[in-house]
Amino acid sequence: MERVTIVGGGLAGMAAAAALVHHKVPIRLLESRPRLGGRASSFRDQVTGEAIDNCQHVAMGCCTNFFRFCEMTGIRQHFEPARELYFFGPQGEMTKFAASRLPAPLHLAGAFFRLSYLSLSEKLSLGRALSRLAVATETSITFADWLKNQHQPPRVIDHFWNVVLVSALSESLDRIGLQQARKVFVDGFLRNPQGWVVEIPQQPLEELWAGPVRQYLEANHGLVEVGQGVAKVELCNVNHPHSQANGWRVTGLTMRDSRMIPTGEMIVALPWYRLGEIFPEENPLAEIIAHTRQFEAAPISSVHLWYDRPIIPLPHATFVSGLCQWLFIKPQEASAQEHPQQKARYGYQVVISASRVLAGQSQESIIAQVENELKGYFPALGDAHRVHARVVTEHKAVFSPLVGSEALRPAQQSPIANLQLAGDWTKTGWPATMEGAVRSGFLAAENVLRRLDQPAKVLADDLPTSRLPRLIWGKLV
Ligand SMILES: Cc1cc2nc3c(=O)[nH]c(=O)nc-3n(C[C@H](O)[C@H](O)[C@H](O)COP(=O)(O)OP(=O)(O)OC[C@H]3O[C@@H](n4cnc5c(N)ncnc54)[C@H](O)[C@@H]3O)c2cc1C
């Protein structure tokens, strides 16, 4: 059987590849960088020699396709659920956030009521708005405007809505569309008791992709070529010029090293801002490419810090105000504790989503601000010696979920019959996440399987809507 060619070795491309080889369809995966993973990848820090992720990635219980991909490729055990989160309020007070045994959506009610930095009336106001959000249908309003219409108190906006959404969507509330915000709360908090559980990789992502995922693909008739950039997609139009039918076909690829690769079925899984680069001027994707140019991108920064001693007694922390949003302990700390004589350093990572405020600031200035804030929460930091620090910013980390941006997202089946599009930015109903990327890859793979007369369902079901939310709000689509 002819290989399906997949361009782009990010999560979308890897997921499409995994789904196809799972159904015994051979693939060729072409990635321009020397490693797989795209925006979810790692690099080696020159000073510590450690592989560190460009940014800490987490998944949630509602990411059913991402976990199907992990199970398919044998990496599920490398993600650990964090069933307790630790929220730090504006005065540094810590609240443990955990679900009770009550059914959804009451499973988190106790956790919300324990949030020490909101008053009782603020919590009640928050509860009312959450319930209205579940059934909100407007499509042309920003989330900030919707919150204003709901008379949400400023502290609830700052210390709750903002905290959840900036982390999940990497955008500010005055730019996020209401429906994109609604999805986060419905899937994460209201629909099913498992939806909110944060899952944290226990290894640098690069080790998962380069190890088990690549091995899975190669053991199942997959050809994985890294460092192989595609320069151009070759097209032909087999129709008579006056025919109404679309006779466009992809015939192959020209690689950056001038190699030609003929291809039958193809999946292009590039980020939106690269799509236009590999298609010739005249092509039936012109409208899609024009739409990708209207996408706006949001940056995410991560501040990597290493100290000579542990600075926090928790595995992670969430901050509801200030510059820092999340703090994670690097997995290496475990080994540092086991072999203190070998590795006298303890690594941490602070995540700052929608980090436009950092533009133009020096690394030193950002590190100093972050450290200052952390000292307020963790006094042990005052005695610690910083061994190393660096800031990594992904300027086009995710596309912004603006009002109207859903209409710009194309389906996986492109106007060219043997060409599928994949990537977190294609139409999946999900924001730019690992789940969105995997969904797009699975949807593209389903289309290819159908075209090869091997139809199969690849997409995993969403978590079911539990009984009580169904009674209160209906199916919650
Ligand atoms: C800093 C940061 C933090 C994030 N945090 C989270 C998180 O916590 N949870 C979460 O779910 N999501 C998170 N995301 C989002 C998530 O990483 C992305 O949504 C997802 O990885 C996108 O995957 P993709 O395959 O669609 O695109 P990409 O990862 O961009 O993959 C596209 C691939 O195509 C390759 N390519 C480009 N041009 C060519 C060419 N000409 N030829 C061949 N290959 C080419 C690229 O090198 C790349 O590997 C984060 C993203 C960033 C940047």
Side-chain angles (χ1 to χ4, degrees):
M1 187 187 280
E2 197 181 2
R3 286 186 193 279
V4 174
T5 306
I6 301 170
V7 183
L11 266 161
M14 288 191 287
L20 288 172
V21 301
H22 182 76
H23 287 90
K24 312 230 173 314
V25 174
I27 59 96
R28 178 198 297 267
L29 180 60
L30 299 166
E31 165 56 46
S32 59
R33 291 191 197 168
R35 66 185 83 89
L36 296 173
R39 278 171 280 153
S41 61
S42 323
F43 63 94
R44 200 150 290 279
D45 178 67
Q46 294 301 319
V47 174
T48 60
E50 289 172 16
I52 55 176
D53 289 344
N54 59 343
C55 185
Q56 177 72 56
H57 275 64
V58 300
M60 286 173 71
C62 51
C63 299
T64 52
N65 285 280
F66 177 69
F67 290 119
R68 169 167 283 189
F69 167 74
C70 293
E71 270 153 24
M72 226 179 230
T73 53
I75 59 170
R76 181 67 181 91
Q77 71 278 15
H78 297 293
F79 288 79
E80 268 193 15
R83 294 190 186 279
E84 281 182 355
L85 301 180
Y86 308 95
F87 282 87
F88 284 79
Q91 310 306 324
E93 65 279 32
M94 196 260 279
T95 311
K96 205 186 280 183
F97 190 89
S100 68
R101 287 174 181 279
L102 289 173
L106 302 175
H107 60 305
L108 293 173
F112 283 118
F113 274 95
R114 280 192 297 276
L115 291 176
S116 56
Y117 43 85
L118 295 179
S119 69
L120 180 62
S121 73
E122 286 169 333
K123 287 169 190 165
L124 292 173
S125 166
L126 161 59
R128 279 194 297 273
L130 255 181
S131 182
R132 285 192 212 114
L133 181 60
V135 288
T137 53
E138 299 102 305
T139 52
S140 56
I141 178 173
T142 67
F143 193 57
D145 283 341
W146 185 84
L147 290 174
K148 210 184 294 164
N149 295 346
Q150 303 302 316
H151 309 293
Q152 284 294 280
R155 283 182 355 137
V156 176
I157 294 177
D158 288 348
H159 299 337
F160 177 73
W161 299 108
N162 193 57
V163 174
V164 176
L165 284 179
V166 172
S167 301
L169 300 178
S170 197
E171 256 310 343
S172 53
L173 304 190
D174 58 341
R175 287 169 57 82
I176 295 172
L178 168 62
Q179 288 308 317
Q180 290 98 322
R182 174 185 176 271
K183 179 162 184 60
V184 172
F185 290 98
V186 167
D187 288 351
F189 295 117
L190 302 178
R191 186 192 298 285
N192 183 291
Q194 295 307 315
W196 78 283
V197 177
V198 172
E199 299 246 6
I200 304 177
Q202 300 300 304
Q203 253 176 277
L205 293 172
E206 159 76 356
E207 289 175 14
L208 303 180
W209 317 145
V213 172
R214 185 168 180 166
Q215 281 157 20
Y216 172 76
L217 297 177
E218 290 179 338
N220 291 282
H221 308 292
L223 195 60
V224 178
E225 299 184 43
V226 294
Q228 294 296 325
V230 170
K232 199 160 148 246
V233 176
E234 303 296 341
L235 304 176
C236 75
N237 191 343
V238 292
N239 263 357
H240 188 273
H242 301 301
S243 160
Q244 291 298 309
N246 171 359
W248 287 94
R249 292 284 176 275
V250 167
T251 55
L253 294 168
T254 304
M255 303 301 291
R256 287 180 187 158
D257 62 7
S258 303
R259 183 166 54 122
M260 303 285 293
I261 300 180
T263 179
E265 296 295 320
M266 186 159 102
I267 299 175
V268 168
L270 302 189
W272 71 94
Y273 50 87
R274 293 259 173 263
L275 188 69
E277 294 172 5
I278 63 165
F279 283 91
E281 198 109 300
E282 194 203 342
N283 79 75
L285 267 67
E287 192 180 343
I288 291 174
I289 292 169
H291 282 167
T292 62
R293 297 197 170 120
Q294 294 176 44
F295 275 53
E296 291 185 36
I300 302 180
S301 300
S302 51
V303 181
H304 301 263
L305 300 159
W306 287 265
Y307 294 98
D308 63 347
R309 67 198 70 185
I311 60 161
I312 78 164
L314 302 166
H316 39 77
T318 312
F319 309 102
V320 306
S321 60
L323 185 62
C324 306
Q325 293 158 2
W326 282 80
L327 172 71
F328 295 93
I329 298 188
K330 290 181 190 293
Q332 282 86 351
E333 184 179 359
S335 68
Q337 279 165 344
E338 282 159 25
H339 309 287
Q341 71 288 7
Q342 285 174 19
K343 273 194 167 184
R345 60 171 180 262
Y346 296 80
Y348 300 89
Q349 188 181 152
V350 171
V351 178
I352 305 168
S353 295
S355 57
R356 293 187 182 91
V357 62
L358 302 181
Q361 295 193 36
S362 68
Q363 293 241 345
E364 292 71 28
S365 153
I366 297 168
I367 291 163
Q369 291 171 65
V370 163
E371 239 178 14
N372 250 344
E373 264 189 41
L374 293 181
K375 275 182 191 152
Y377 299 113
F378 310 116
L381 185 55
D383 301 326
H385 167 66
R386 173 160 33 94
V387 180
H388 178 45
R390 68 185 295 169
V391 182
V392 179
T393 296
E394 292 275 352
H395 295 281
K396 289 183 178 169
V398 292
F399 67 86
S400 297
L402 310 179
V403 173
S405 62
E406 283 300 299
L408 301 174
R409 300 173 74 178
Q412 285 71 36
Q413 175 61 66
S414 82
I416 303 175
N418 64 341
L419 172 69
Q420 310 297 323
L421 299 174
D424 59 356
W425 55 278
T426 59
K427 201 177 265 318
T428 63
W430 272 70
T433 50
M434 298 192 288
E435 170 70 10
V438 169
R439 271 182 187 243
S440 74
F442 281 179
L443 286 166
E446 279 186 355
N447 291 346
V448 171
L449 290 170
R450 210 173 301 118
R451 285 178 49 77
L452 297 175
D453 288 330
Q454 284 182 235
K457 180 172 170 357
V458 177
L459 209 63
D461 292 333
D462 290 337
L463 289 178
T465 305
S466 301
R467 197 132 55 119
L468 190 53
R470 221 175 32 234
L471 280 173
I472 307 172
W473 298 300
K475 278 196 337 211
L476 277 181
V477 280

